[in-house]
């Protein structure tokens, strides 16, 4: 048993790997997003807003006084909050800036008024000559002067993200989601593999002759597989049963004539039969039973060839009405003897691409059965009609009819409706209709029966009408 490499384990590992990769990429995306998120710099933005609001108000009062000492004092306060500031005029010219704030770190602003409007609700970003990022915003002191407040954007360490009050709940949620996903993946794998295990078990049971139906469950594809397995199991069981019945029937059909042949041959050999009349009778029985065996063997060979697809057929253009008429004429003496008439109703000429010998044998077999089961003085209806691209042939008798149950089995090998005819004169072995069915299907057609007990039976043969010139 190789549970380590079972489909259940493989599915579970596959689901787990997919979930792990998804969570890994999602986590990486969240970390990257947090590194770029304004939430991480909210303390810087708060300090910038505080300095901007404070200095804008203060500077507006000393706008016409001596700026320099007052401005330097204010700038010292800004530096204590780790914020750099500068004063620009309305044209963007730099007038004052804090000591640690170099000119290269100050963005070039040509229109302070527009920039102030843009930075009113969010900080702008400037990349200086040393490729460092700075947050900055501009506020208006009065119509002539503007205050620029800036702070260097710090590099955020990844470990600091895990100290954020938003990241921790996300991590806990992700952990619970991972555990839940593992459990769910196992349940999904079990949901898929459980019916597969039952199908596997069913296959093993078939090998030992147990034909149990597999429950239809699981995903749609697995359900389809279970249906196919049940169908195959039923067909295998039916096929094996047919083989057993076939062997039993063949044995019986061979045994009966062989017993007669053996018995009469032994009688002649022992001298039990000594007068000419008895010897003639014994010879007739031996000859008839030998002929019967010959027919049986030929029928079995025909069925074997049809099953294997090796039956040699010489197909050519055949006119259906003439072929049926020829089949009817073969039974002239049998019809006279049985006092039965055939009423043929044919349509216009219908040409088929068919083997005239095999198709004629089908029609002969249907007519022969109709004669056997019709009462004297009755009439057999034979019709041929065109139905689109198909030809319909029907043979109807007024015999005892066939029950619905027997109709379903009428084309099985060795099946005989009238069991009382077994062993009697003119009996068959139940292969005629089975061979006829195979012959019709070999021509791309189908054969069926419609019957009602006490009213007779109608056998219907549908054959495709094909253009022989294209063959």
């Amino acid at each position: 048993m190789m549970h380590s490499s079972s489909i259940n384990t493989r599915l579970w590992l596959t689901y787990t790997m997919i979930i792990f990769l998804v969570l890994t990429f999602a986590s990486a995306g969240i970390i990257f997003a947090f590194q770029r998120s304004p939430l991480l710099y909210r303390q810087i933005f708060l300090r910038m807003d505080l300095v901007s609001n404070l200095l804008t108000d203060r500077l507006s009062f000393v706008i016409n006084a001596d700026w320099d000492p007052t401005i330097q004092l204010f700038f010292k306060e800004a530096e204590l909050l780790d914020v750099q500031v500068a004063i620009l005029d309305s044209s963007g010219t730099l007038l004052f800036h804090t000591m640690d704030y170099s000119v290269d770190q100050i963005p070039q602003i040509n229109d302070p008024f527009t920039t102030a409007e843009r930075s009113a609700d969010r900080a702008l970003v400037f990349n200086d000559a040393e490729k460092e990022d700075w947050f900055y915003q501009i506020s208006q002191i009065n119509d002539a002067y503007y205050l620029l407040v800036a702070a260097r954007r710090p590099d955020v360490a990844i470990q600091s993200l895990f100290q954020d009050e938003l990241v921790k709940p996300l991590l806990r949620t992700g952990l619970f989601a991972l555990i839940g996903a593992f459990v769910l993946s196992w349940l999904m794998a079990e949901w898929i593999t459980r019916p597969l295990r039952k199908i596997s078990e069913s296959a093993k049971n078939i090998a030992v002759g147990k034909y149990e139906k597999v429950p239809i469950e699981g995903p749609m594809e697995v359900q389809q597989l279970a249906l196919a397995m049940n169908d195959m199991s039923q067909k295998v069981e039916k096929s094996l049963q047919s083989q057993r019945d076939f062997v039993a029937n063949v044995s019986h059909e061979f045994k009966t004539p062989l017993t007669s042949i053996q018995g009469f041959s032994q009688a002649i050999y022992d001298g039990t039969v000594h007068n000419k009349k008895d010897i003639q009778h014994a010879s007739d029985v031996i000859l008839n039973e030998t002929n019967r065996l010959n027919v049986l063997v030929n029928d079995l060979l025909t069925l074997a060839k049809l099953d294997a697809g090796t039956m040699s057929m010489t197909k050519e253009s055949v006119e259906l009405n003439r072929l049926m008429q020829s089949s009817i004429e073969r039974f002239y003496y049998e019809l006279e003897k049985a006092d039965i008439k055939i009423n043929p109703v044919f349509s216009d000429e219908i040409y088929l691409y068919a083997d005239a010998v095999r198709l004629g044998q089908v029609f002969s077999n249907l007519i022969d059965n109709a004669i056997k089961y019709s009462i004297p003085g009755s009439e057999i209806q034979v019709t041929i009609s065109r139905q689109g691209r198909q030809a319909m042939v029907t043979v109807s008798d007024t015999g005892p009819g066939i029950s619905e149950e027997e109709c379903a089995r009428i084309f099985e090998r060795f099946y005989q409706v009238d069991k009382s005819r077994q062993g009697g004169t003119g009996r068959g072995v139940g292969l005629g209709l089975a061979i006829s069915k195979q012959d019709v299907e070999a021509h791309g057609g189908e054969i069926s029966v419609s019957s009602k007990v006490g009213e007779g039976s109608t056998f219907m043969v549908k054959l495709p009408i094909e253009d022989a010139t294209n063959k």
Side-chain angles (χ1 to χ4, degrees):
M1 298 181 68
M2 298 179 291
H3 294 290
S4 60
S5 60
S6 66
I7 190 172
N8 193 347
T9 304
R10 294 183 181 185
L11 283 173
W12 185 82
L13 289 176
T14 300
Y15 290 144
T16 301
M17 289 177 62
I18 292 174
I19 293 167
F20 179 77
L21 288 175
V22 169
L23 287 177
T24 300
F25 284 116
S27 300
I30 290 172
I31 291 173
F32 179 79
F34 266 98
Q35 283 185 306
R36 298 291 178 178
S37 173
L39 294 175
L40 295 177
Y41 309 110
R42 60 183 177 274
Q43 292 183 354
I44 297 176
F45 297 153
L46 288 174
R47 293 201 304 270
M48 290 173 60
D49 287 338
L50 177 62
V51 171
S52 177
N53 294 331
L54 184 62
L55 292 187
T56 300
D57 292 339
R58 288 182 177 182
L59 289 172
S60 65
F61 292 110
V62 296
I63 194 65
N64 295 319
D66 185 5
W67 279 38
D68 189 50
T70 306
I71 289 173
Q72 295 303 326
L73 178 61
F74 291 163
F75 283 5
K76 288 293 183 179
E77 293 179 351
E79 289 177 343
L80 293 175
L81 294 174
D82 197 20
V83 175
Q84 306 298 330
V85 293
I87 297 177
L88 311 174
D89 63 15
S90 59
S91 64
T93 303
L94 178 63
L95 301 178
F96 300 95
H97 60 86
T98 51
M99 296 293 291
D100 295 334
Y101 197 23
S102 67
V103 175
D104 294 336
Q105 296 170 337
I106 301 175
Q108 182 66 38
I109 299 174
N110 298 322
D111 186 0
F113 178 77
T114 303
T115 306
E117 289 183 340
R118 288 173 52 208
S119 63
D121 56 353
R122 64 186 178 91
L124 304 179
V125 180
F126 169 70
N127 187 257
D128 63 17
E130 296 181 1
K131 306 300 182 182
E132 285 188 315
D133 289 336
W134 288 78
F135 295 119
Y136 72 94
Q137 63 185 52
I138 293 179
S139 58
Q140 189 175 22
I141 300 174
N142 57 26
D143 293 338
Y145 300 100
Y146 292 85
L147 177 67
L148 184 147
V149 179
R152 184 181 286 107
R153 181 163 72 179
D155 293 330
V156 180
I158 293 178
Q159 57 268 25
S160 66
L161 295 177
F162 295 97
Q163 300 174 358
D164 193 279
E165 61 269 22
L166 290 178
V167 175
K168 290 181 179 179
L170 286 176
L171 290 177
R172 287 195 296 270
T173 303
L175 180 61
F176 291 139
L178 184 61
I179 296 173
F182 287 159
V183 175
L184 181 62
S185 64
W186 182 85
L187 293 175
M188 290 181 64
E190 184 67 17
W191 177 60
I192 293 174
T193 56
R194 184 174 61 253
L196 288 177
R197 289 196 296 269
K198 292 182 179 179
I199 292 174
S200 176
E201 190 67 26
S202 176
K204 294 177 182 178
N205 290 335
I206 291 175
V208 296
K210 296 180 181 179
Y211 305 97
E212 299 176 354
K213 285 190 174 183
V214 180
I216 309 301
E217 58 182 348
M220 181 180 66
E221 293 80 1
V222 178
Q223 290 184 19
Q224 292 174 346
L225 179 61
L227 288 171
M229 175 62 72
N230 289 337
D231 184 56
M232 183 193 71
S233 175
Q234 185 178 4
K235 288 181 178 178
V236 169
E237 183 180 16
K238 186 177 180 180
S239 176
L240 291 176
Q241 184 61 44
S242 297
Q243 289 182 16
R244 289 191 288 268
D245 292 344
F246 179 80
V247 172
N249 288 323
V250 169
S251 300
H252 174 75
E253 294 299 335
F254 271 93
K255 183 179 181 180
T256 302
L258 285 174
T259 300
S260 298
I261 292 171
Q262 182 184 23
F264 281 99
S265 298
Q266 187 69 38
I268 294 174
Y269 179 79
D270 293 342
T272 306
V273 178
H274 49 79
N275 61 60
K276 185 176 181 180
K277 182 178 179 181
D278 290 340
I279 293 174
Q280 182 65 41
H281 174 68
S283 299
D284 288 341
V285 171
I286 292 172
L287 179 61
N288 289 335
E289 294 300 333
T290 303
N291 289 336
R292 172 174 164 75
L293 284 175
N294 185 55
V295 171
L296 177 60
V297 170
N298 287 335
D299 285 347
L300 290 173
L301 288 174
T302 299
L303 275 174
K305 290 180 180 179
L306 288 170
D307 284 340
T310 58
M311 172 63 72
S312 177
M313 288 194 178
T314 305
K315 291 187 177 182
E316 57 186 352
S317 180
V318 178
E319 206 287 304
L320 189 57
N321 294 330
R322 288 199 293 269
L323 180 61
M324 177 60 79
Q325 187 61 44
S326 175
S327 299
I328 293 173
E329 290 173 355
R330 296 177 190 171
F331 295 91
Y332 175 79
Y333 293 106
E334 286 85 347
L335 291 168
E336 285 286 333
K337 183 178 179 180
D339 189 23
I340 296 172
K341 294 182 180 180
I342 289 185
N343 179 27
V345 179
F346 297 162
S347 65
D348 296 334
E349 290 185 342
I350 298 177
Y351 286 89
L352 306 177
Y353 187 70
D355 186 318
V357 175
R358 299 307 311 166
L359 208 53
Q361 185 63 36
V362 172
F363 297 153
S364 296
N365 185 51
L366 296 179
I367 294 171
D368 183 43
N369 284 341
I371 293 173
K372 288 178 181 178
Y373 290 98
S374 294
I375 60 176
S378 63
E379 186 176 86
I380 297 172
Q381 294 284 338
V382 177
T383 66
I384 297 177
S385 60
R386 182 190 296 268
Q387 295 183 356
R389 294 297 301 168
Q390 287 186 320
M392 170 68 84
V393 179
T394 64
V395 178
S396 304
D397 62 54
T398 56
I402 309 170
S403 68
E404 184 176 348
E405 180 182 353
E406 290 177 320
C407 282
R409 301 188 59 191
I410 194 70
F411 296 104
E412 292 180 10
R413 300 171 188 187
F414 295 104
Y415 186 78
Q416 293 177 320
V417 175
D418 188 359
K419 306 298 188 297
S420 64
R421 294 177 63 89
Q422 294 182 3
T425 303
R427 72 191 185 279
V429 295
L431 291 177
L433 288 177
I435 294 175
S436 296
K437 184 176 186 293
Q438 294 277 61
D439 280 329
V440 171
E441 290 177 350
H443 283 83
E446 57 184 58
I447 183 171
S448 58
V449 61
S450 174
S451 183
K452 192 172 182 179
V453 176
E455 296 183 7
S457 305
T458 299
F459 284 85
M460 296 157 285
V461 177
K462 289 183 180 180
L463 295 166
I465 300 175
E466 301 183 15
D467 186 1
T469 60
N470 295 330
K471 302 297 180 180

